[in-house]
Amino acid sequence: MVPFLSFTLGATQFSADGFDSETKFSMSLGTGLRLPITDNFGATLGLRGYLTFVDSDTDYFCSSDGGNGTCLVRSSGSTFFQGEATLGLTLRF
């Protein structure tokens, strides 16, 4: 088993059909294991968390129609967290 750790800096784009998009600063931290099965074939297991910095108490994807306004997302914190788990196969040649 070969453990790994990764760190990225970047941007997250929030977009939805019919609304303006917004881009915010973000970062991610990931870890996992590479599991060699043969010299040229293996499996990879990973976990990654994404942290996006947003303004406190912000509304996203808002529109107004006939004086009535609505928003798809309302935020009450200063960060937005997402996570993922991955399982992959590796082929080297």
Side-chain angles (χ1 to χ4, degrees):
M1 289 189 281
V2 180
F4 66 88
L5 180 69
S6 65
F7 175 75
T8 63
L9 294 175
T12 298
Q13 183 179 30
F14 296 97
S15 64
D17 291 342
F19 296 92
D20 291 337
S21 63
E22 292 192 40
T23 303
K24 301 291 185 179
F25 174 73
S26 65
M27 66 176 73
S28 73
L29 181 64
T31 187
L33 289 173
R34 291 191 180 106
L35 308 165
I37 298 170
T38 69
D39 287 341
N40 296 327
F41 185 73
T44 303
L45 304 169
L47 295 173
R48 177 170 297 279
Y50 299 89
L51 187 64
T52 303
F53 298 93
V54 296
D55 299 327
S56 296
D57 300 321
T58 301
D59 298 333
Y60 295 95
F61 312 122
C62 298
S63 67
S64 177
D65 184 24
N68 296 323
T70 185
C71 297
L72 293 178
V73 177
R74 296 184 190 275
S75 168
S76 63
S78 59
T79 58
F80 181 76
F81 178 79
Q82 302 171 79
E84 71 178 15
T86 59
L87 170 62
L89 300 174
T90 305
L91 178 62
R92 294 173 51 177
F93 52 93

